Amino acid sequence: MTQHDSPSLPAHRPGASRQAPEAPDDPSPSRTTRPWMPALLYTLGFLTVYLLAICTPWGQRAENALFGLGMQGGEEAWFYPLSGAAYGSTPVPPLELSAKPTLMVGLAVIVVLTLVRRCWWPGCAALGIVLLTTGGKEVLKSTLPRPDLVGAPENLLDQGFPSGHTAIPAALTLAAVLVVSPRIRPYVATAGVLWLACIAAYSATNGGHRPSEVLGATLLACACYGLATWPLPSAAVPGATRSPRALPVITLTLALAIALVSGARNDTLTRSLVSGATGFICAALVWYAAVGRPAHTARRTRPALG
């Protein structure tokens, strides 16, 4: 009986070993869909920033106090000559009157890339990110109340939550990583994050927006990104391509430097540092949403292939 059974064992084991690697090829929800948790967390972050900064007396006092540091307006900001607010200067997109043209050009580029690369579902998701972010910003800015809980001056009662100038680079960056080639996705994300760091920091320091309004716009864009990419297959999102190991450190270091320079003012160090930190946080949020989180998801599923 032993002699008869022994030849059958080797014939069975190779078959089992050949079938083992094929098992992970079966689709499963964890590998083919995006988790819904990030969109929920970004939405909760958006609501938290709004409630704490705008709907509490101490939140209003803290942000209003920033306007009392230094002179009113953005003339003392280092970035002011490049903002388009100075007479005869050309604005850095999407500041001043370049906001709508920047948005239109960005949407056109997304459409062209979608048609050329024939990435229909990622292209639709990318358009959805931009339209949901910019459209949601308009709706929220007109509907969310800003109660005056501290008797603030009238010029500090204007509703600017969330910031439109910050929403545009955040949404376009998150949309672009979905429609470009996987090989250049990390580098496109880097360029977009550095652009966002500049615009977010300056928007917070020039007197047009509070830090909460800038953070709110970024969290709104990240929430729309999580919502739009949730049903996409894993091969269609940036997690399918791993970025170079040193790129996150290089990107965030450059983002910090750009945010500090863009948020710097001649008349107050505190406001400069707060604005720079705000721009850097916005850049880190978008980088984590576009590159960091999908990479972690891919690493979690990779052991199943072995």
Side-chain angles (χ1 to χ4, degrees):
M1 185 71 181
T2 354
Q3 294 176 352
H4 203 65
D5 291 340
S6 57
S8 63
L9 294 176
H12 176 70
R13 285 177 182 172
S17 64
R18 283 194 303 267
Q19 293 176 358
E22 296 176 1
D25 291 339
D26 297 333
S28 62
S30 62
R31 300 185 63 213
T32 58
T33 59
R34 307 279 287 175
W36 53 266
M37 185 61 70
L40 176 60
L41 292 178
Y42 288 125
T43 302
L44 292 177
F46 176 89
L47 294 174
T48 300
V49 169
Y50 170 74
L51 293 175
L52 294 181
I54 296 177
C55 298
T56 62
W58 54 268
Q60 289 189 4
R61 289 192 184 96
E63 291 202 304
N64 290 344
L66 292 175
F67 289 94
L69 300 175
M71 299 175 58
Q72 294 293 327
E75 291 82 358
E76 292 296 318
W78 292 6
F79 199 75
Y80 182 76
L82 302 175
S83 67
Y87 179 76
S89 65
T90 302
V92 174
L95 298 176
E96 295 297 330
L97 298 179
S98 66
K100 289 185 178 180
T102 302
L103 181 59
M104 294 297 103
V105 171
L107 287 172
V109 170
I110 292 172
V111 171
V112 170
L113 288 174
T114 301
L115 295 175
V116 170
R117 301 192 64 243
R118 298 185 179 184
C119 50
W120 310 121
W121 288 114
C124 291
L127 290 174
I129 292 168
V130 179
L131 296 178
L132 283 175
T133 302
T134 55
K137 177 266 303 180
E138 294 293 338
V139 173
L140 293 171
K141 185 177 286 189
S142 60
T143 56
L144 288 177
R146 181 183 289 277
D148 181 17
L149 305 177
V150 296
E154 186 176 354
N155 64 324
L156 297 182
L157 299 180
D158 293 337
Q159 171 62 288
F161 185 92
S163 165
H165 290 102
T166 305
I168 292 175
L172 289 179
T173 298
L174 292 168
V177 297
L178 293 179
V179 294
V180 298
S181 170
R183 293 182 179 179
I184 65 171
R185 277 173 179 169
Y187 306 102
V188 170
T190 294
V193 160
L194 298 182
W195 178 32
L196 173 62
C198 173
I199 301 303
Y202 178 73
S203 297
T205 202
N206 72 345
H209 287 288
R210 297 168 170 83
S212 63
E213 296 165 353
V214 174
L215 287 172
T218 304
L219 288 167
L220 175 63
C222 291
C224 292
Y225 175 83
L227 181 64
T229 57
W230 176 14
L232 292 181
S234 58
V237 294
T241 304
R242 296 184 62 183
S243 61
R245 184 171 301 179
L247 188 61
V249 176
I250 295 173
T251 298
L252 295 180
T253 301
L254 290 175
L256 177 60
I258 291 175
L260 290 175
V261 172
S262 301
R265 296 177 62 96
N266 295 320
D267 52 357
T268 165
L269 178 61
T270 301
R271 188 168 171 182
S272 300
L273 293 177
V274 171
S275 301
T278 301
F280 173 73
I281 293 173
C282 292
L285 285 171
V286 169
W287 175 265
Y288 179 75
V291 179
R293 178 173 55 83
H296 294 322
T297 304
R299 280 195 293 271
R300 283 199 305 267
T301 59
R302 184 166 290 133
L305 299 175

